[in-house]
Amino acid sequence: MRILVITDLYPIMEDEKYTPRTIEAFVKTWQKQGHEVRIIKPNFLLNSYIRKKPFYKDGIYGNVENINYITPFLGDIKKKIKTLFAPDVVIAHMPSGLIFANKLGVMYTAAVHSSDIEVLTNPIYKFYFKTELENAYKNAQKIACRSYVLREKFLSLYPQYKSKTFVAPSGIDESIIIERNWEEREKVRVLTCGQFVKRKNIDKVIKACEKYENIELTVVGSGKLEKKLKSISEKPIFTGQISRDEVLEKMRQSDIFILPSRNETFGMVYLEAMASGCITVCSKGEGVDGIIQDGVNGFLAEDVETVLNTILEHPNKTEILENTRKTVYNYTEELMAKNYLDSIME
């Protein structure tokens, strides 16, 4: 099958540090499964500047064509496309990708990320992007919501599209899944990991763990709030920014992973923590809520201290970990990539 992915959320160079790799993971898995995949990366330059994305000149980089636009895709956008490709399936991600795909006049599947919900609900986007995005969803053949929570949020806004929506979660590399039982230690090892920005709520984890003498907290990441977070308590171990392999090793050494983040599209870090044998906690109504079932294979937090108490007092933590492992085997990269295409072709 020939697949065309249209999105600005895609790395061009291997050393791009802050470009999420979730869509790239789908592309690489589809390629392994025998599909031919090309990517068009349409960049509205002002948006790229605001988001501090790396800049690349127009051109084809491997299987990615980067196309820059000063105006937000006005006029005949086809004139600038150099990629010669007759796709069987077109998949668009992120607002710029959806608007671009809609203007091409082809059949396509439109994805729903947290950024799309922001455009559809924030008044700042009212005069152009909201209208264009609504038209893109109206004209889409299928709508792929990146999590169960996002499907609920999207359908609360546009219930008329229920019949053409499906959930397309990310998948985990099966090779990193390990089997672990709960180990009783003198100190319970808690890990949190993410960019040091407000919506990650890492400060809430630090404040909650500060109250427990039997908890050792490790904080992985960096960002503009680093000084503020370090001022909350002297107890946590701050590692700074470390590689993905090092993060996975920290997860395997930890007992509990907590990240009470808000406005998450999905959150691969939660699946990685589950695969690494951590009792995993995400915010209720965010990210992997729907994959994590509260008290069954992890926990959904509304208050960090409350959920810590629940975990520490739980009589059978090993059973939680067994359920966690069974869950992640149902969310491998191969299964989720196949699920995505099967749902489109249904």
Side-chain angles (χ1 to χ4, degrees), residues 150-165:
L150 281 174
R151 185 172 188 265
E152 289 179 10
K153 290 180 179 179
F154 180 78
L155 290 179
S156 71
L157 298 171
Y158 305 100
Q160 66 269 33
Y161 299 141
K162 184 176 182 179
S163 63
K164 64 178 183 179
T165 63

Side-chain angles (χ1 to χ4, degrees), residues 43 55-56 71 81 123 143 230 241 316-317 330:
N43 281 313
F55 175 79
Y56 299 99
T71 54
I81 299 175
I143 298 173
K230 287 183 175 179
Q241 196 74 37
N316 199 343
K317 301 177 188 68
N330 290 323

Side-chain angles (χ1 to χ4, degrees), residues 5-9 40-44 47 51 69 71-78 81 90-113 115-120 125-140:
V5 177
I6 304 175
T7 181
D8 66 345
L9 192 71
I40 289 179
K41 185 173 182 176
N43 281 313
F44 172 37
N47 185 46
R51 290 163 61 189
Y69 292 86
T71 54
F73 318 134
L74 299 176
D76 186 0
I77 64 171
K78 296 179 184 178
I81 299 175
V90 178
I91 301 171
H93 280 257
M94 306 300 289
S96 61
L98 271 65
I99 294 169
F100 192 93
N102 191 36
K103 289 179 178 292
L104 281 179
V106 298
M107 293 179 68
Y108 61 92
T109 291
V112 178
H113 292 246
S115 55
D116 300 283
I117 302 296
E118 171 74 6
V119 171
L120 293 167
Y125 298 106
K126 178 179 178 181
F127 297 104
Y128 178 80
F129 284 102
K130 179 181 178 181
T131 301
E132 291 292 326
L133 198 57
E134 285 181 327
N135 286 333
Y137 283 121
K138 179 182 178 182
N139 294 331

Side-chain angles (χ1 to χ4, degrees), residues 78-337:
K78 296 179 184 178
K79 288 182 178 179
K80 294 184 75 172
I81 299 175
K82 295 183 175 65
T83 296
L84 299 175
F85 192 57
D88 302 304
V89 170
V90 178
I91 301 171
H93 280 257
M94 306 300 289
S96 61
L98 271 65
I99 294 169
F100 192 93
N102 191 36
K103 289 179 178 292
L104 281 179
V106 298
M107 293 179 68
Y108 61 92
T109 291
V112 178
H113 292 246
S114 59
S115 55
D116 300 283
I117 302 296
E118 171 74 6
V119 171
L120 293 167
T121 56
N122 191 325
I124 196 172
Y125 298 106
K126 178 179 178 181
F127 297 104
Y128 178 80
F129 284 102
K130 179 181 178 181
T131 301
E132 291 292 326
L133 198 57
E134 285 181 327
N135 286 333
Y137 283 121
K138 179 182 178 182
N139 294 331
Q141 177 191 15
K142 291 286 184 73
I143 298 173
C145 301
R146 293 284 289 114
S147 72
Y148 297 97
V149 170
L150 281 174
R151 185 172 188 265
E152 289 179 10
K153 290 180 179 179
F154 180 78
L155 290 179
S156 71
L157 298 171
Y158 305 100
Q160 66 269 33
Y161 299 141
K162 184 176 182 179
S163 63
K164 64 178 183 179
T165 63
F166 63 93
V167 180
S170 291
I172 196 76
D173 179 356
E174 188 173 343
S175 68
I176 73 168
I177 301 173
I178 64 171
E179 182 176 352
R180 281 177 60 193
N181 295 323
W182 180 267
E183 295 180 46
E184 295 295 341
R185 313 178 195 269
E186 183 178 339
K187 288 200 172 185
V188 176
R189 299 171 184 173
V190 176
L191 177 70
T192 191
C193 174
Q195 284 183 281
F196 294 168
V197 293
K198 187 176 180 180
R199 71 179 184 86
K200 296 292 184 180
N201 290 319
I202 291 173
D203 58 326
K204 294 182 179 179
V205 180
I206 297 172
K207 289 173 183 176
C209 291
E210 169 78 8
K211 299 177 181 181
Y212 295 85
E213 290 298 325
N214 64 331
I215 283 181
E216 178 184 277
L217 174 63
T218 299
V219 182
V220 174
S222 62
K224 59 184 179 182
L225 296 181
E226 183 168 346
K227 187 176 180 180
K228 181 179 178 181
L229 293 177
K230 287 183 175 179
S231 71
I232 296 171
S233 172
E234 295 180 355
K235 289 183 180 180
I237 301 165
F238 284 83
T239 68
Q241 196 74 37
I242 58 178
S243 70
R244 178 175 177 270
D245 287 342
E246 289 173 310
V247 172
L248 290 173
E249 185 56 36
K250 291 290 183 188
M251 288 175 171
R252 295 184 194 111
Q253 295 168 0
S254 302
D255 304 305
I256 300 170
F257 176 86
I258 301 180
L259 186 62
S261 184
R262 294 292 175 189
N263 298 320
E264 287 283 2
T265 289
F266 184 73
M268 275 300 297
V269 69
Y270 299 104
L271 277 188
E272 289 172 340
M274 294 169 76
S276 300
C278 292
I279 289 182
T280 302
V281 181
C282 78
S283 292
K284 186 177 177 63
E286 296 287 345
V288 293
D289 184 346
I291 293 176
I292 289 181
Q293 299 174 49
D294 191 42
V296 178
N297 59 357
F299 292 88
L300 304 173
E302 292 183 289
D303 176 76
V304 176
E305 188 176 348
T306 300
V307 81
L308 275 174
N309 279 332
T310 301
I311 295 170
L312 294 175
E313 295 173 6
H314 197 281
N316 199 343
K317 301 177 188 68
T318 293
E319 184 179 334
I320 298 286
L321 291 174
E322 288 173 357
N323 292 336
T324 297
R325 189 174 65 257
K326 291 175 184 176
T327 298
V328 290
Y329 271 116
N330 290 323
Y331 287 89
T332 64
E333 288 176 334
E334 288 74 17
L335 288 175
M336 293 303 96

